[in-house]
Structure formats: C-alpha cells, structure tokens
C-alpha cells in the first residue's frame, strides 16, 4: 500500500506533528513521504519541530525528533551539528552502542580523537561485540598512541572477523 512505499522517517514525523498540534506539517510530511525528500530538505522542518516540542512536547517526542535530526546530520556529514544532538539524546537516557558509535565517529571527524576514544569505549561497553566498531575504536586508540589498548581491541575484532578489512592496516600501524 501507500504507507509501505513511504519513507518511514517522514511518516514518523507526520505522526509527531499531528500529536503536537501541527496538522499542516503532518499533512505535508505524509504527502512528502512519497517523494522522499533529501535530508537537507528535512532539516529546517525538524529544527522547527524541535523548538515546538521543547516548548510543549513530551520527552518521547523530543527523543524522536532528535533521532530524526541525528539521522539528517549523519547523512549530510554535519559532524559539528551532530555532536550536541547525540549528546542530548544520551543525556535523555537513551544509550546504546549505535548512538555512542555515531558520537565517536563525529568526534573523530572533528579531530577530537580523545573524545572519540571515550565514546567508542562507551559503545563497546553498552553494546555487543561488533568487529567494525572494535576496529574503529582500535584505529582511534592508535591515533592517540594508546597502543596496548588498541591491540586488545584488534584482537577482539580479529576473533570475530579474522579477514576483516583494515585489520592488517591497523596491525601495521601498531608495528610502527
């Protein structure tokens, strides 16, 4: 049906707009779900919704808008804008490996390697062992010269996926 083809974020946003009394935005988002606007087209509407929800919405609505905004910033590689959104999501008690890993990636892109390592550590602590996450964490640790910790993470990653991409490259970086 129509909803099956629709972009899930737009439909979720339409439901939120309806709940907070922005019927016009809700209608526009349902219509737009069929044409799949770009993340850049979604950004201004999400920012407006964020202001509205901050004034009169629930914590759940706030979290949903922030999650959609996080997606937009990640898709557009707007790392500087992504960081405070991720930090707010975490401050609202929503902690999982995905949000911590996204925060780590953004901090790494902004050259905050120590902050990235800290966020990767949290991602590893709250999540399941995922080889790419462990390799990214190890790469970050190598960049800040925490080589013993990096080797531990590479060993964990290798145990899960021995022929993984970048594993040999990270091992070569350790040997330097």
């Amino acid at each position: 049906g129509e909803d099956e083809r629709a972009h899930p974020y737009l439909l979720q946003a339409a439901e939120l707009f309806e709940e907070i009394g922005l019927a016009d935005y809700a209608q526009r988002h349902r219509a737009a779900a069929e044409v799949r606007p770009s993340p850049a087209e979604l950004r201004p509407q999400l920012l407006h919704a964020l202001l509205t929800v901050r004034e009169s919405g629930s914590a759940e609505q706030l979290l949903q808008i922030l999650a959609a905004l996080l997606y937009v910033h990640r898709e557009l590689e707007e790392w500087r804008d992504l960081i405070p959104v991720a930090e707010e999501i975490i401050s609202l008690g929503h902690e999982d490996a995905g949000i911590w890993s996204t925060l780590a990636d953004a901090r790494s892109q902004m050259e905050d390697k120590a902050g990235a390592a800290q966020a990767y550590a949290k991602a590893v602590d709250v999540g399941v062992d995922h080889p790419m996450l462990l390799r990214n964490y190890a790469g970050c640790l190598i960049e800040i010269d925490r080589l013993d910790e990096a080797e531990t993470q590479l060993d964990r990653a290798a145990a899960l996926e021995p022929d993984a991409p970048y594993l040999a490259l990270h091992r070569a970086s350790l040997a330097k």
Side-chain angles (χ1 to χ4, degrees):
E2 187 174 301
D3 286 356
E4 293 171 351
R5 294 189 315 269
H7 192 284
Y9 289 107
L10 285 171
L11 290 177
Q12 184 180 12
E15 290 171 16
L16 282 169
F17 290 137
E18 196 72 48
E19 287 175 23
I20 62 176
L22 296 173
D24 187 46
Y25 274 165
Q27 185 276 329
R28 283 192 263 168
H29 278 74
R30 282 191 186 92
E34 288 299 313
V35 295
R36 298 185 187 244
S38 71
E41 294 168 320
L42 285 175
R43 186 189 324 109
Q45 295 170 358
L46 288 171
L47 291 171
H48 178 77
L50 187 60
L51 292 174
T52 303
V53 167
R54 284 194 195 286
E55 291 174 11
S56 61
S58 71
E60 181 182 332
Q61 291 168 335
L62 177 61
L63 189 58
Q64 289 173 329
I65 296 289
L66 287 169
L69 194 55
L70 184 82
Y71 161 79
V72 165
H73 290 317
R74 186 177 58 227
E75 290 298 306
L76 296 173
E77 297 182 0
E78 297 172 336
W79 308 117
R80 185 179 313 281
D81 295 329
L82 184 150
I83 291 169
V85 173
E87 289 171 342
E88 185 171 357
I89 290 170
I90 291 166
S91 77
L92 292 170
H94 183 76
E95 292 187 79
D96 63 26
I99 189 70
W100 281 110
S101 178
T102 299
L103 177 59
D105 293 343
R107 286 178 174 170
S108 183
Q109 289 293 325
M110 296 303 300
E111 299 299 323
D112 176 9
K113 301 303 181 180
Q118 183 181 36
Y120 279 129
K122 287 293 287 185
V124 169
D125 287 346
V126 301
V128 297
D129 281 350
H130 189 280
M132 187 172 74
L133 173 62
L134 295 169
R135 286 191 308 274
N136 288 348
Y137 183 23
C140 186
L141 291 168
I142 290 168
E143 289 187 55
I144 59 174
D145 206 32
R146 291 169 47 189
L147 303 182
D148 290 340
E149 294 171 74
E151 187 169 14
T152 299
Q153 298 309 318
L154 286 177
D155 289 345
R156 290 174 67 192
L160 296 168
E161 191 178 19
D163 58 347
Y166 298 106
L167 197 56
L169 181 65
H170 286 320
R171 292 255 189 236
S173 294
L174 275 176
K176 289 181 183 180

